[in-house]
Amino acid sequence: MTTHYFNNSENRLHNELFGAEAFYDLDTTGNQAKALTKIVEGDTCVVATPQGKLVRFSRYIFRRFALQKDGADKQVQVLFGDLLDSHLLSKAEAAIDIDYGVLFDKKGNFKRASVHVDPARSNMIGERFFGEIPGVPVGSTFDSRIALSSAKVHRPTQAGISGAAKEGADSIVISGGYEDDQDLGDEVVYTGHGGQLNGKQVKDQEMLVGNLALVVSEMEGFPVRVVRGPDKNNSFSPPSGYRYDGLFRVDSHWHEIGKAGFKIWRYRLVKLQAEAVPSEISGVGTEGLPTGENSNPVRKSQTVQRIVRDTKQAKNVKMHYGHACQVCGTRIMTATGPYAEAAHIRPLGAPHNGPDTSDNILCLCPNHHVMFDFGAFSIEDDRSLIGIEGSLSIRPGHRIDIKHLAFHREKYSNRAK
Amino acid sequence: MTTHYFNNSENRLHNELFGAEAFYDLDTTGNQAKALTKIVEGDTCVVATPQGKLVRFSRYIFRRFALQKDGADKQVQVLFGDLLDSHLLSKAEAAIDIDYGVLFDKKGNFKRASVHVDPARSNMIGERFFGEIPGVPVGSTFDSRIALSSAKVHRPTQAGISGAAKEGADSIVISGGYEDDQDLGDEVVYTGHGGQLNGKQVKDQEMLVGNLALVVSEMEGFPVRVVRGPDKNNSFSPPSGYRYDGLFRVDSHWHEIGKAGFKIWRYRLVKLQAEAVPSEISGVGTEGLPTGENSNPVRKSQTVQRIVRDTKQAKNVKMHYGHACQVCGTRIMTATGPYAEAAHIRPLGAPHNGPDTSDNILCLCPNHHVMFDFGAFSIEDDRSLIGIEGSLSIRPGHRIDIKHLAFHREKYSNRAK
């Protein structure tokens, strides 16, 4: 659900002018009229009304609008909805507020626009739209990169990755441009960009622009639209043109020496299961919000940032360490027992296919598990840590295969970049 | 894949007796013959051979067996496979080994049995089988609790929860026995056991036996078989008898005052999506192991221990804190940027339906996120922490709704038990 901001700078009393539940009114023509077409029932609306040196921010759930005449006998579109809450803040407070700061410019002054749609409260970050494009179902096809761009599915007409370092990546095109790509259908091993000349890898790839954007999407859990282009060597490719194949999450990234002998960045993307996500969330469907709930999350507003897997061997290793982290010794206690996570040194699944055996598993606290998976530290054969201080604690009876440690150092360590 | 252990106490030289790749032989009748019927291609076999005061442990991937005659002209079943690795350990070392300790009794002596299937290396923990029962597909129906028990789908004939505190819970039956249960199909809110008399709740439930077992399954990510029994008030129930409805994971647990006025434990279970899990793993299918791989995890050997969700509001809150934890100040840095998690104070989704708004979100490190979700700490209205030392850091511009803090204290805090 998008959040819309309205600057009630004239301090109009909408209740008195238009009746109960009225909270704002807009011109029937011009920019204000256009703004209204973007509102749907259930959206959040924030109305900011100056009160002396303070500003009152009132949040409403939009229900409907109606054409009415205002005090000056002018025809206006009136917005009606349910009041959620109301806060009286100084401008200094409001300017740094998570929810209301968007209404102020860098100097702390009220923005002039009377209607403002907050991009960060929709699926937008900057001009970038994350998630499924409305009206473009999975399987939609496009004749050309231009058509794909016009439909906003993948905006760059040349680059394979649509993204910026600070915003994340919103889409990629798989089209056989990189000899190291692997396509398994619901899993894709995708090669980063850069270092190519006339279709050949001629130098190392760097962790910049689109390559970095894909990592941001991984760390934040942003969904990435995957488009497949023509590629006679890929059985998952469309026979011609471009096909939108759904939302994927970036599961992991690493570096390696590609077939041409230069360093490349690689990304494992896994398809987000449309069936799986809704089952964990009670969507509001089309009936709008249930009574008494502030803001019930809809199905598409959530994606997965991180999945921690359990395996058969996981419990054995965790028990062996009494659920204490092999890096910091932390043992997370809850009322019902200790909690730890099993980290596979060489990752499970394609393309790495690490084994689920105790010699490939560490017992870590969640913090060090995240750091290990993102390559913030790696482990030498002598157990000393690379990237952070300290050494890995290994209890007698736990043999770790140093081949797996070498694999992690080589592919994941940040220091090896 | 199950691991099988073989005690080669007679120090037979299988290669010399039976040819290359032979690693063990078994009687064609009696207990040893039965053991063999449980082995399938791809299973791991550990052969322990005494060598003076030491023991050599050799691991093989089982490929096939053949009937051959041994040195004494006796017909035996010979096992053939690929050698994985080999370790020479003292008995003292072996007795505490994660992988080989199972071959020794509590005194450190070699177990007499020459064939041993390690329950912890299969889907078994103790006598408890986790996951789908072979030959019992989702939708299978049973006339009675006795039939359900005989099929090993849910072994207790009275109790709703099959489980023990140290092992976890492997199955539950939903049959309308508790007035507080909620069944949404793929999501179930299930009430713990205890405190009932003649079908009425007459006292508080305690965190013991099955109630604790369900929490262990939650913390370790063990799958729980869900069976539905007859209940005319539940549209998801079978018209008669009992139906196996698939594997669920325990998503969360909390306590509350039930309709009868007594404390009850409640569990949210979410169906594991069969389609979702395999897509993240490259299964080995029926062809056995790919060449060159030690032990490729099969599809059913993994379940989910923990899912961290991303939401629209998550990034705003994390940015506001520069990805530093509001409890400990930790800011996890990776080469490509900081990592933090957004914790919803009142959980998203049914039955709590917490809103995805900044006043319901904290920025936490993964460790404190786990602790908060499991109720290891809770937060007072004045920001001080309950359960651990310290107080919540709140930056100007982030308003937290104390109603949500109260909700978490009331339902999740371990101290409120």
Side-chain angles (χ1 to χ4, degrees):
Chain A
M1 283 163 293
T2 307
T3 300
H4 309 264
Y5 291 88
F6 301 97
N7 186 352
N8 184 21
S9 54
E10 296 173 18
N11 212 328
R12 280 160 85 98
L13 300 168
H14 298 93
N15 276 172
E16 292 183 14
L17 285 168
F18 307 109
E21 299 186 348
F23 64 84
Y24 204 72
D25 67 290
L26 291 166
D27 296 342
T28 53
T29 55
N31 284 338
Q32 290 204 345
K34 275 184 215 156
L36 204 61
T37 63
K38 295 179 184 167
I39 299 184
V40 296
E41 190 187 341
D43 277 358
T44 302
C45 295
V46 174
V47 179
T49 307
Q51 299 198 348
K53 290 189 172 176
L54 303 177
V55 182
R56 174 164 300 281
F57 296 90
S58 299
R59 291 199 294 183
Y60 298 85
I61 296 295
F62 174 71
R63 292 297 172 208
R64 62 190 175 86
F65 63 88
L67 279 173
Q68 284 186 227
K69 288 197 171 167
D70 70 0
D73 211 32
K74 180 180 151 197
Q75 185 97 324
V76 289
Q77 299 184 95
V78 183
L79 287 80
F80 294 86
D82 305 329
L83 179 66
L84 273 184
D85 55 17
S86 182
H87 297 100
L88 194 61
L89 303 177
S90 72
K91 283 190 184 177
E93 287 172 328
I96 56 162
D97 194 274
I98 294 183
D99 296 316
Y100 307 139
V102 70
L103 282 166
F104 295 83
D105 65 19
K106 286 175 184 168
K107 291 179 181 168
N109 294 318
F110 227 108
K111 284 184 178 166
R112 274 170 302 175
S114 57
V115 179
H116 179 86
V117 178
D118 181 6
R121 319 286 151 166
S122 72
N123 278 332
M124 305 285 290
I125 293 180
E127 288 299 305
R128 205 166 294 289
F129 186 91
F130 288 82
E132 201 141 278
I133 305 291
V136 182
V138 173
S140 298
T141 53
F142 303 88
D143 288 344
S144 64
R145 287 290 296 262
I146 302 285
L148 200 56
S149 178
S150 303
K152 296 180 181 167
V153 175
H154 184 81
R155 295 184 315 163
T157 53
Q158 294 285 329
I161 303 170
S162 168
K166 292 203 174 173
E167 299 170 352
D170 57 319
S171 60
I172 61 169
V173 173
I174 304 171
S175 56
Y178 282 89
E179 57 193 357
D180 297 292
D181 283 356
Q182 283 177 19
D183 195 339
L184 304 171
D186 286 352
E187 286 174 33
V188 170
V189 178
Y190 188 75
T191 306
H193 62 189
Q196 280 203 335
L197 193 69
N198 300 325
K200 294 276 174 203
Q201 198 72 31
V202 295
K203 57 178 184 174
D204 287 352
Q205 292 185 343
E206 293 182 79
M207 182 45 79
L208 294 169
V209 203
N211 294 347
L212 186 50
L214 278 170
V215 179
V216 170
S217 288
E218 176 190 352
M219 288 206 292
E220 298 293 341
F222 296 157
V224 177
R225 290 183 298 277
V226 167
V227 174
R228 286 191 175 88
D231 178 4
K232 61 178 164 25
N233 298 318
N234 183 354
S235 62
F236 296 101
S237 287
S240 68
Y242 296 86
R243 188 183 61 220
Y244 168 59
D245 280 344
L247 299 178
F248 284 58
R249 68 184 188 88
V250 184
D251 177 73
S252 61
H253 72 280
W254 65 95
H255 46 75
E256 60 187 47
I257 303 301
K259 289 174 184 163
F262 295 97
K263 189 175 80 175
I264 54 174
W265 286 98
R266 305 191 83 189
Y267 302 85
R268 179 173 185 255
L269 289 94
V270 178
K271 190 163 189 176
L272 285 166
Q273 300 292 328
E275 315 92 295
V277 177
S279 83
E280 303 245 347
I281 306 154
S282 290
V284 295
T286 51
E287 316 84 34
L289 294 165
T291 319
E293 290 303 327
N294 283 359
S295 164
N296 209 348
V298 289
R299 295 183 179 226
K300 286 190 181 165
S301 66
Q302 289 189 68
T303 54
V304 172
Q305 182 184 13
R306 185 168 159 73
I307 294 178
V308 179
R309 296 197 171 279
D310 175 57
T311 64
K312 282 184 191 169
Q313 295 296 328
K315 189 171 184 182
N316 295 319
V317 177
K318 289 190 281 184
M319 294 285 279
H320 195 71
Y321 287 90
H323 289 73
C325 177
Q326 287 182 254
V327 168
C328 64
T330 295
R331 186 166 178 265
I332 292 182
M333 271 311 296
T334 73
T336 44
Y339 177 95
E341 294 177 1
H344 286 78
I345 303 168
R346 177 176 178 144
L348 297 169
H352 303 315
N353 297 315
D356 184 35
T357 49
S358 64
D359 57 9
N360 188 39
I361 297 177
L362 302 176
C363 174
L364 298 179
C365 70
N367 281 3
H368 281 112
H369 192 182
V370 165
M371 291 171 72
F372 189 67
D373 284 356
F374 280 104
F377 74 92
S378 205
I379 305 163
E380 294 282 16
D381 290 350
D382 70 358
R383 306 180 182 190
S384 62
L385 304 179
I386 310 163
I388 58 173
E389 291 291 308
S391 67
L392 190 76
S393 154
I394 302 179
R395 287 202 186 163
H398 185 200
R399 282 163 286 103
I400 291 174
D401 189 333
I402 58 170
K403 287 199 308 292
H404 300 318
L405 294 179
F407 182 93
H408 185 272
R409 283 198 303 273
E410 186 194 320
K411 306 264 183 181
Y412 283 86
S413 171
N414 294 337
R415 295 302 169 95
K417 277 197 312 181
Chain B
M1 284 161 293
T2 306
T3 300
H4 308 264
Y5 291 88
F6 301 97
N7 186 352
N8 184 20
S9 54
E10 296 172 18
N11 213 328
R12 279 159 87 97
L13 300 169
H14 298 92
N15 276 172
E16 293 183 13
L17 285 167
F18 308 109
E21 298 186 348
F23 63 84
Y24 205 72
D25 67 290
L26 291 166
D27 296 342
T28 53
T29 55
N31 283 338
Q32 290 203 346
K34 275 185 216 155
L36 204 62
T37 63
K38 295 179 183 167
I39 299 184
V40 296
E41 190 187 341
D43 278 359
T44 302
C45 295
V46 174
V47 178
T49 306
Q51 298 199 349
K53 290 190 174 178
L54 303 177
V55 182
R56 174 164 300 281
F57 296 90
S58 299
R59 291 200 294 183
Y60 298 85
I61 296 295
F62 174 71
R63 291 296 172 209
R64 62 188 174 86
F65 63 88
L67 279 173
Q68 285 186 227
K69 288 196 172 169
D70 70 1
D73 211 32
K74 180 180 150 197
Q75 184 98 323
V76 290
Q77 298 184 95
V78 182
L79 287 80
F80 294 86
D82 305 329
L83 180 66
L84 273 184
D85 55 17
S86 182
H87 298 100
L88 194 61
L89 303 177
S90 71
K91 283 190 184 179
E93 287 172 327
I96 57 162
D97 194 274
I98 293 183
D99 295 317
Y100 307 139
V102 70
L103 282 166
F104 295 83
D105 65 19
K106 285 174 185 168
K107 291 179 182 168
N109 294 319
F110 227 108
K111 284 183 178 167
R112 275 170 302 175
S114 57
V115 179
H116 179 87
V117 178
D118 181 5
R121 319 285 152 167
S122 72
N123 277 332
M124 305 286 289
I125 293 180
E127 288 300 305
R128 205 167 294 288
F129 186 91
F130 288 82
E132 201 141 279
I133 305 291
V136 182
V138 173
S140 298
T141 54
F142 302 87
D143 288 344
S144 64
R145 288 290 296 262
I146 302 285
L148 200 57
S149 177
S150 303
K152 296 180 181 166
V153 175
H154 184 80
R155 294 184 314 162
T157 53
Q158 294 285 329
I161 303 170
S162 169
K166 292 202 175 173
E167 299 170 351
D170 57 319
S171 60
I172 62 169
V173 173
I174 305 171
S175 57
Y178 282 89
E179 57 193 357
D180 297 291
D181 283 356
Q182 283 178 19
D183 195 339
L184 304 171
D186 285 352
E187 286 174 33
V188 170
V189 178
Y190 188 75
T191 305
H193 62 188
Q196 279 203 336
L197 192 69
N198 300 325
K200 295 277 174 203
Q201 198 72 31
V202 295
K203 58 178 185 174
D204 287 353
Q205 292 184 344
E206 293 183 79
M207 181 46 79
L208 294 169
V209 202
N211 294 347
L212 185 50
L214 278 169
V215 179
V216 170
S217 288
E218 176 190 352
M219 288 206 293
E220 298 293 342
F222 296 157
V224 177
R225 291 183 298 277
V226 167
V227 174
R228 286 191 174 89
D231 178 4
K232 62 178 165 24
N233 298 317
N234 183 354
S235 62
F236 295 101
S237 287
S240 68
Y242 296 86
R243 188 183 62 220
Y244 168 58
D245 280 345
L247 298 178
F248 284 58
R249 68 183 188 88
V250 184
D251 177 73
S252 61
H253 72 280
W254 65 96
H255 46 75
E256 60 188 47
I257 302 302
K259 289 175 184 162
F262 295 97
K263 189 175 82 175
I264 54 174
W265 286 98
R266 306 191 82 189
Y267 302 85
R268 179 173 185 254
L269 289 94
V270 178
K271 190 164 188 174
L272 286 166
Q273 300 291 330
E275 315 92 296
V277 178
S279 83
E280 303 245 346
I281 306 154
S282 290
V284 295
T286 51
E287 316 84 34
L289 294 165
T291 319
E293 290 303 328
N294 283 359
S295 164
N296 209 347
V298 289
R299 296 185 178 226
K300 286 193 180 164
S301 67
Q302 289 190 68
T303 53
V304 172
Q305 183 184 13
R306 183 170 152 72
I307 294 178
V308 180
R309 297 196 170 280
D310 175 56
T311 63
K312 281 184 191 168
Q313 295 297 328
K315 189 171 184 183
N316 294 319
V317 176
K318 290 191 282 184
M319 295 285 280
H320 196 71
Y321 287 90
H323 290 72
C325 177
Q326 287 182 255
V327 168
C328 64
T330 295
R331 186 164 178 266
I332 292 181
M333 271 311 296
T334 74
T336 44
Y339 178 94
E341 294 177 2
H344 286 78
I345 304 168
R346 177 176 177 144
L348 298 169
H352 303 315
N353 296 314
D356 184 36
T357 49
S358 64
D359 57 9
N360 188 39
I361 297 177
L362 303 176
C363 174
L364 298 179
C365 71
N367 281 2
H368 281 112
H369 192 182
V370 165
M371 291 171 72
F372 189 66
D373 284 355
F374 280 105
F377 75 91
S378 206
I379 304 163
E380 294 281 16
D381 290 351
D382 69 359
R383 306 180 182 190
S384 62
L385 304 179
I386 311 164
I388 58 173
E389 291 291 308
S391 67
L392 190 76
S393 154
I394 303 180
R395 287 202 186 162
H398 185 201
R399 281 162 287 103
I400 290 174
D401 189 333
I402 58 169
K403 287 198 309 291
H404 300 318
L405 294 179
F407 182 93
H408 185 272
R409 284 198 302 274
E410 186 194 321
K411 306 263 183 182
Y412 283 86
S413 171
N414 294 336
R415 294 303 169 94
K417 276 197 313 178

